[in-house]
Amino acid sequence: MRGGQRAAIVLIGLIVAAIVLSMLHNTGASVPVEGLVLRVVEPVRSAFTTVANGASRALADLERFGEMREENAALRAEVAELRAQTARLSDAERENERFREALAYLDEHPELKLLTARIVGRDSLDVLDTIVIDRGASHGIRVGMAVVANGGLAGRVTKVTETTADVLPVHSPQSTVNVLAQAEDAAADGTLDGTTGADLVMRHIDAEAEIMVGDPVVTSSLGGGLPRGIPVGRIVAIEVSPTSVLRQAIVEPLVQLERLDVVQVILGQTAGS
Amino acid sequence: MVSRLGTAARGARWLPSLGTWAAALFLALLALVQTSVLPYFEVLGAQPSLVLVSVVILATMQVGTRALGLGFAGGLMVDLFSAAPLGTNALLFTLIAYVAGGGFGGVDRANIVIPATAVVLATAAYYPSVLLALQLQGVDVVWEAHLPARLWPAIIVNLGAAAVLYYPVRMLERWTHGRPIPTYRGVR
């Protein structure tokens, strides 16, 4: 048989086979065989599809690179804005907390006439430690008034303008306050000086006074500057000077002013208290 | 180089040789790639018909009936994997292989221009044919929407696929088929 004839016969055979397959497909008879073949190739096909899908997405991402960059920039700006908002909310929450504490202090001391003020400035040179509050003479503040925070003495007003006041913190080296160390049965007078460190020094304590570590230190009314009994801190160490009969104590302050946003100024005491 | 998988591995004469099975396996792999991978990567709105292109290249390199069988097998796999009515592509690929094999008989078959030309002509014939075949099987074909929009992109994309597939297919042919490829200068 010549090659051409053989090819024609094979062609006719294959055409017939294709037509038969088509008929079987249309009647549904080939479905089981088709299903079997597809089941065999399914793992390979699935792997191919997964890889192709991934590659296609990667390619699409590459095509969208410029668009994604712009989107990224927009999202970054949005994130920055949201962070700023979060920070503002956090600040507001912290401030609310401070106000709540201030109100609590007010509740605990109904005899005191308190004015809540916000700290709006600090000594940028870090020499005087002075803070500035947003209340002044127009709000009734006068020089020498006590400033409290979180139930403890924070400082004293040293300068007043119509709308602001400078407060010298109790921990400032410039600050001296008349205080009492409250022992169990008695109290010892002294003066509390600020230092360059974190603690305060209570000086001029009578050598006979029975003070102990842990005793609270409060303001005394000596000198008439501050109301009596405002907590200032507690004694953490007692030192005896070899050159003096008086003792001194290291006092841990109750108020860490650098962490505060809000303080109260004691304008006075209500009548009859 | 002459294949060791051709006549040497053949058992009974009526059975396809091991080389032909290897070529069929290659076409099966291409059919899987064509139906599973390429739909994700359209070029000019068309996907290359890897199996069609390979069958045409094989047909232009061969004499005899081997390309017909491979065309049938390749088309059948495309039918199976692409959910086309079974037999549609099998019939068309067989016919295309027959025409490509016979039409380019006696010319330089080891030159890429011949398979490339055959691929262009085969694609141009295949698309209307497959639409017609589908219509005859009851599929609603909108000719004016399907044919003009897809034919030229398909021709270009298949031409590109031919450039990529020509040498791998030629290597496969040499490896799986014992007969040398005829050229105008003799055989290679």
Side-chain angles (χ1 to χ4, degrees):
Chain A
M1 191 185 293
R2 285 174 55 214
Q5 283 178 327
R6 188 162 176 265
I9 290 168
V10 171
L11 176 68
I12 290 166
L14 291 174
I15 288 170
V16 170
I19 291 168
V20 169
L21 282 172
S22 182
M23 290 167 66
L24 289 173
H25 177 82
N26 288 336
T27 57
S30 64
V31 172
V33 180
E34 288 179 47
L36 183 68
V37 174
L38 291 177
R39 200 184 306 165
V40 170
V41 300
E42 184 53 36
V44 181
R45 200 179 194 187
S46 178
F48 276 14
T49 306
T50 304
V51 171
N53 195 11
S56 167
R57 283 185 184 177
L59 207 63
D61 286 347
L62 274 177
E63 285 173 1
R64 287 184 57 232
F65 186 72
E67 189 185 326
M68 285 170 76
R69 198 160 51 185
E70 286 172 15
E71 195 177 320
N72 192 26
L75 286 172
R76 276 175 188 276
E78 198 174 326
V79 166
E81 174 61 25
L82 286 171
R83 278 187 181 154
Q85 271 183 28
T86 306
R88 281 197 292 272
L89 286 172
S90 188
D91 284 347
E93 193 178 355
R94 209 161 41 233
E95 196 171 292
N96 280 341
E97 184 63 27
R98 301 283 180 257
F99 278 118
R100 271 197 295 273
E101 285 170 359
L103 286 171
Y105 185 78
L106 193 58
D107 288 343
E108 287 169 13
H109 299 275
E111 79 282 3
L112 297 178
K113 207 174 154 189
L114 295 171
L115 174 71
T116 299
R118 187 183 311 205
I119 295 173
V120 292
R122 293 177 191 269
D123 171 28
S124 60
L125 295 174
D126 204 19
V127 175
L128 298 173
D129 297 321
T130 311
I131 59 169
V132 183
I133 57 175
D134 65 345
R135 295 285 187 269
S138 61
H139 303 96
I141 294 178
R142 302 286 178 264
V143 170
M145 284 180 168
V147 178
V148 294
N150 297 345
L153 183 70
R156 280 187 306 174
V157 176
T158 56
K159 183 182 158 190
V160 179
T161 68
E162 271 302 297
T163 53
T164 64
D166 291 359
V167 176
L168 183 68
V170 73
H171 64 75
S172 168
Q174 323 292 323
S175 167
T176 299
V177 180
N178 291 317
V179 292
L180 289 170
Q182 291 185 317
E184 267 190 35
D185 299 325
D189 290 320
T191 57
L192 191 68
D193 298 334
T195 66
T196 52
D199 290 330
L200 313 173
V201 180
M202 182 175 171
R203 304 181 203 277
H204 310 121
I205 306 170
D206 189 339
E208 301 299 318
E210 296 177 352
I211 57 167
M212 295 172 67
V213 170
D215 285 347
V217 176
V218 299
T219 54
S220 72
S221 54
L222 283 176
L226 300 172
R228 186 186 174 95
I230 303 171
V232 183
R234 65 183 184 90
I235 295 173
V236 292
I238 298 168
E239 297 171 350
V240 180
S241 171
T243 58
S244 171
V245 292
L246 300 174
R247 290 181 295 173
Q248 64 179 32
I250 307 301
V251 176
E252 182 185 54
L254 198 65
V255 178
Q256 303 290 336
L257 203 56
E258 60 272 16
R259 296 178 192 164
L260 294 178
D261 298 323
V262 176
V263 293
Q264 294 89 41
V265 182
I266 299 176
L267 298 177
Q269 294 185 330
T270 52
S273 63
Chain B
M1 181 182 146
V2 176
S3 166
R4 297 290 176 268
L5 287 176
T7 53
R10 178 191 284 268
R13 282 190 65 80
W14 54 274
L15 278 176
S17 69
L18 198 58
T20 305
W21 284 113
L25 193 65
F26 174 73
L27 289 177
L29 194 68
L30 286 184
L32 272 175
V33 171
Q34 179 179 318
T35 56
S36 303
V37 178
L38 295 185
Y40 293 96
F41 303 100
E42 282 195 344
V43 181
L44 301 172
Q47 302 158 27
S49 302
L50 300 182
V51 180
L52 173 68
V53 170
S54 300
V55 164
V56 171
I57 294 171
L58 281 168
T60 58
M61 289 178 183
Q62 292 176 4
V63 288
T65 58
R66 187 167 176 262
L68 297 181
L70 289 174
F72 181 84
L76 194 61
M77 285 166 208
V78 172
D79 287 337
L80 268 172
F81 301 154
S82 67
L86 204 63
T88 308
N89 283 297
L91 175 64
L92 292 175
F93 284 17
T94 306
L95 288 170
I96 285 169
Y98 181 77
V99 174
F104 291 95
V107 295
D108 183 0
R109 299 182 186 211
N111 189 325
I112 193 173
V113 176
I114 300 303
T117 308
V119 164
V120 170
L121 294 175
T123 307
Y126 170 73
Y127 269 79
S129 304
V130 77
L131 290 178
L132 181 63
L134 290 172
Q135 193 171 36
L136 288 174
Q137 291 179 79
V139 177
D140 190 15
V141 176
V142 185
W143 284 83
E144 60 275 18
H146 287 123
L147 194 59
R150 296 192 182 169
L151 186 58
W152 285 109
I155 288 172
I156 294 167
V157 167
N158 280 352
L159 195 59
V164 174
L165 283 171
Y166 176 73
Y167 288 103
V169 170
R170 188 172 159 171
M171 282 172 62
L172 177 84
E173 175 63 9
R174 284 186 171 189
W175 184 58
T176 60
H177 195 214
R179 297 177 186 173
I181 299 168
T183 72
Y184 68 94
R185 286 177 294 188
V187 293
R188 289 185 188 176

mmCIF file of all heavy atoms in Angstrom, chain A residues 1 14 40 42 70 108 111 114 130 133 137 139 144 162 168 173 183 201 220 229 264 270:
data_model
loop_
_atom_site.group_PDB
_atom_site.id
_atom_site.type_symbol
_atom_site.label_atom_id
_atom_site.label_comp_id
_atom_site.label_asym_id
_atom_site.label_seq_id
_atom_site.Cartn_x
_atom_site.Cartn_y
_atom_site.Cartn_z
ATOM 1 N N MET A 1 0.842 -1.198 0.000
ATOM 2 C CA MET A 1 0.000 0.000 0.000
ATOM 3 C C MET A 1 0.882 1.255 0.000
ATOM 4 O O MET A 1 1.831 1.331 0.752
ATOM 5 C CB MET A 1 -0.880 -0.007 1.259
ATOM 6 C CG MET A 1 -1.952 1.041 1.212
ATOM 7 S SD MET A 1 -2.859 1.098 2.779
ATOM 8 C CE MET A 1 -3.663 -0.493 2.753
ATOM 9 N N LEU A 14 -9.705 7.775 11.654
ATOM 10 C CA LEU A 14 -9.692 8.727 12.777
ATOM 11 C C LEU A 14 -10.904 9.652 12.737
ATOM 12 O O LEU A 14 -11.453 10.019 13.782
ATOM 13 C CB LEU A 14 -8.392 9.548 12.763
ATOM 14 C CG LEU A 14 -7.129 8.751 13.107
ATOM 15 C CD1 LEU A 14 -5.882 9.604 12.916
ATOM 16 C CD2 LEU A 14 -7.182 8.234 14.542
ATOM 17 N N VAL A 40 -7.730 11.151 36.921
ATOM 18 C CA VAL A 40 -6.298 10.818 36.912
ATOM 19 C C VAL A 40 -5.447 12.085 36.791
ATOM 20 O O VAL A 40 -4.437 12.241 37.478
ATOM 21 C CB VAL A 40 -5.984 9.837 35.756
ATOM 22 C CG1 VAL A 40 -4.480 9.672 35.576
ATOM 23 C CG2 VAL A 40 -6.622 8.485 36.029
ATOM 24 N N GLU A 42 -6.374 15.079 37.522
ATOM 25 C CA GLU A 42 -6.817 16.154 38.408
ATOM 26 C C GLU A 42 -5.706 16.723 39.297
ATOM 27 O O GLU A 42 -5.573 17.957 39.413
ATOM 28 C CB GLU A 42 -7.991 15.654 39.269
ATOM 29 C CG GLU A 42 -8.610 16.718 40.165
ATOM 30 C CD GLU A 42 -9.021 17.974 39.399
ATOM 31 O OE1 GLU A 42 -9.465 17.843 38.248
ATOM 32 O OE2 GLU A 42 -8.858 19.085 39.946
ATOM 33 N N GLU A 70 0.635 54.435 44.553
ATOM 34 C CA GLU A 70 -0.205 55.584 44.926
ATOM 35 C C GLU A 70 -1.151 55.213 46.061
ATOM 36 O O GLU A 70 -1.351 55.979 47.016
ATOM 37 C CB GLU A 70 -1.020 56.041 43.720
ATOM 38 C CG GLU A 70 -0.185 56.786 42.691
ATOM 39 C CD GLU A 70 -0.973 57.056 41.422
ATOM 40 O OE1 GLU A 70 -2.201 56.932 41.439
ATOM 41 O OE2 GLU A 70 -0.333 57.377 40.403
ATOM 42 N N GLU A 108 -12.756 64.368 98.226
ATOM 43 C CA GLU A 108 -12.151 63.984 99.511
ATOM 44 C C GLU A 108 -11.932 65.187 100.420
ATOM 45 O O GLU A 108 -11.809 65.041 101.632
ATOM 46 C CB GLU A 108 -10.802 63.299 99.256
ATOM 47 C CG GLU A 108 -10.946 61.885 98.695
ATOM 48 C CD GLU A 108 -9.614 61.343 98.216
ATOM 49 O OE1 GLU A 108 -8.565 61.950 98.549
ATOM 50 O OE2 GLU A 108 -9.625 60.353 97.487
ATOM 51 N N GLU A 111 -13.717 70.744 102.161
ATOM 52 C CA GLU A 111 -13.459 72.031 102.826
ATOM 53 C C GLU A 111 -12.563 72.932 101.993
ATOM 54 O O GLU A 111 -12.461 74.128 102.260
ATOM 55 C CB GLU A 111 -12.815 71.781 104.211
ATOM 56 C CG GLU A 111 -11.325 71.460 104.200
ATOM 57 C CD GLU A 111 -11.008 70.027 103.797
ATOM 58 O OE1 GLU A 111 -11.944 69.271 103.454
ATOM 59 O OE2 GLU A 111 -9.829 69.658 103.798
ATOM 60 N N LEU A 114 -11.064 74.520 95.474
ATOM 61 C CA LEU A 114 -10.035 74.153 94.475
ATOM 62 C C LEU A 114 -10.389 74.691 93.097
ATOM 63 O O LEU A 114 -11.553 74.748 92.720
ATOM 64 C CB LEU A 114 -9.894 72.632 94.391
ATOM 65 C CG LEU A 114 -9.372 71.920 95.642
ATOM 66 C CD1 LEU A 114 -9.489 70.427 95.477
ATOM 67 C CD2 LEU A 114 -7.923 72.312 95.895
ATOM 68 N N THR A 130 10.048 75.506 86.766
ATOM 69 C CA THR A 130 8.742 76.144 86.860
ATOM 70 C C THR A 130 7.782 75.590 85.811
ATOM 71 O O THR A 130 8.186 75.282 84.689
ATOM 72 C CB THR A 130 8.887 77.664 86.644
ATOM 73 O OG1 THR A 130 9.939 78.117 87.479
ATOM 74 C CG2 THR A 130 7.611 78.398 86.958
ATOM 75 N N ILE A 133 0.535 77.341 84.420
ATOM 76 C CA ILE A 133 -0.833 76.822 84.336
ATOM 77 C C ILE A 133 -1.729 77.853 83.661
ATOM 78 O O ILE A 133 -1.384 79.039 83.588
ATOM 79 C CB ILE A 133 -1.387 76.446 85.732
ATOM 80 C CG1 ILE A 133 -1.344 77.653 86.677
ATOM 81 C CG2 ILE A 133 -0.591 75.292 86.325
ATOM 82 C CD1 ILE A 133 -1.987 77.399 88.018
ATOM 83 N N ALA A 137 -4.809 85.428 87.705
ATOM 84 C CA ALA A 137 -5.435 86.333 88.673
ATOM 85 C C ALA A 137 -6.931 86.470 88.423
ATOM 86 O O ALA A 137 -7.724 86.583 89.373
ATOM 87 C CB ALA A 137 -4.763 87.693 88.583
ATOM 88 N N HIS A 139 -8.870 84.323 87.705
ATOM 89 C CA HIS A 139 -9.575 83.153 88.239
ATOM 90 C C HIS A 139 -9.437 83.071 89.758
ATOM 91 O O HIS A 139 -9.848 82.093 90.363
ATOM 92 C CB HIS A 139 -9.019 81.888 87.606
ATOM 93 C CG HIS A 139 -9.107 81.880 86.113
ATOM 94 N ND1 HIS A 139 -8.050 82.259 85.315
ATOM 95 C CD2 HIS A 139 -10.140 81.597 85.279
ATOM 96 C CE1 HIS A 139 -8.399 82.179 84.054
ATOM 97 N NE2 HIS A 139 -9.667 81.789 83.992
ATOM 98 N N GLY A 144 1.718 82.434 96.161
ATOM 99 C CA GLY A 144 1.834 81.714 97.432
ATOM 100 C C GLY A 144 0.803 80.618 97.605
ATOM 101 O O GLY A 144 0.915 79.810 98.519
ATOM 102 N N GLU A 162 -2.844 87.746 84.491
ATOM 103 C CA GLU A 162 -4.305 87.714 84.462
ATOM 104 C C GLU A 162 -4.831 86.326 84.117
ATOM 105 O O GLU A 162 -5.841 85.892 84.657
ATOM 106 C CB GLU A 162 -4.812 88.728 83.414
ATOM 107 C CG GLU A 162 -5.039 90.145 83.942
ATOM 108 C CD GLU A 162 -6.033 90.193 85.093
ATOM 109 O OE1 GLU A 162 -7.211 89.848 84.880
ATOM 110 O OE2 GLU A 162 -5.614 90.563 86.213
ATOM 111 N N LEU A 168 6.034 76.925 91.223
ATOM 112 C CA LEU A 168 7.330 76.349 91.563
ATOM 113 C C LEU A 168 7.065 74.966 92.166
ATOM 114 O O LEU A 168 6.486 74.858 93.256
ATOM 115 C CB LEU A 168 8.060 77.239 92.577
ATOM 116 C CG LEU A 168 9.460 76.772 92.955
ATOM 117 C CD1 LEU A 168 10.419 76.898 91.765
ATOM 118 C CD2 LEU A 168 10.012 77.572 94.133
ATOM 119 N N PRO A 173 14.875 72.722 93.434
ATOM 120 C CA PRO A 173 15.877 73.139 94.431
ATOM 121 C C PRO A 173 15.571 74.514 95.001
ATOM 122 O O PRO A 173 16.077 74.875 96.064
ATOM 123 C CB PRO A 173 17.183 73.152 93.627
ATOM 124 C CG PRO A 173 16.932 72.263 92.462
ATOM 125 C CD PRO A 173 15.482 72.400 92.140
ATOM 126 N N ALA A 183 4.495 61.115 112.823
ATOM 127 C CA ALA A 183 4.768 59.831 113.436
ATOM 128 C C ALA A 183 3.471 59.286 114.035
ATOM 129 O O ALA A 183 2.431 59.942 113.967
ATOM 130 C CB ALA A 183 5.837 59.996 114.498
ATOM 131 N N VAL A 201 14.432 66.702 100.654
ATOM 132 C CA VAL A 201 15.143 66.588 101.921
ATOM 133 C C VAL A 201 14.388 67.382 102.985
ATOM 134 O O VAL A 201 14.124 68.580 102.812
ATOM 135 C CB VAL A 201 16.591 67.124 101.806
ATOM 136 C CG1 VAL A 201 17.307 66.977 103.158
ATOM 137 C CG2 VAL A 201 17.342 66.372 100.726
ATOM 138 N N SER A 220 2.709 71.989 106.979
ATOM 139 C CA SER A 220 2.287 72.581 108.248
ATOM 140 C C SER A 220 1.805 73.992 107.953
ATOM 141 O O SER A 220 2.047 74.520 106.870
ATOM 142 C CB SER A 220 3.465 72.625 109.224
ATOM 143 O OG SER A 220 4.399 73.608 108.835
ATOM 144 N N GLY A 229 -1.761 70.101 106.498
ATOM 145 C CA GLY A 229 -2.227 68.727 106.264
ATOM 146 C C GLY A 229 -2.219 68.239 104.832
ATOM 147 O O GLY A 229 -2.725 67.157 104.545
ATOM 148 N N GLN A 264 -4.569 71.233 90.654
ATOM 149 C CA GLN A 264 -5.596 72.067 91.306
ATOM 150 C C GLN A 264 -4.905 73.107 92.173
ATOM 151 O O GLN A 264 -3.921 72.804 92.848
ATOM 152 C CB GLN A 264 -6.516 71.234 92.194
ATOM 153 C CG GLN A 264 -7.386 70.232 91.471
ATOM 154 C CD GLN A 264 -6.680 68.906 91.327
ATOM 155 O OE1 GLN A 264 -6.018 68.462 92.250
ATOM 156 N NE2 GLN A 264 -6.828 68.306 90.159
ATOM 157 N N THR A 270 -13.258 76.768 102.719
ATOM 158 C CA THR A 270 -14.625 77.269 102.884
ATOM 159 C C THR A 270 -14.850 77.681 104.333
ATOM 160 O O THR A 270 -14.215 77.167 105.244
ATOM 161 C CB THR A 270 -15.667 76.170 102.523
ATOM 162 O OG1 THR A 270 -15.341 75.011 103.266
ATOM 163 C CG2 THR A 270 -15.639 75.886 101.055
#
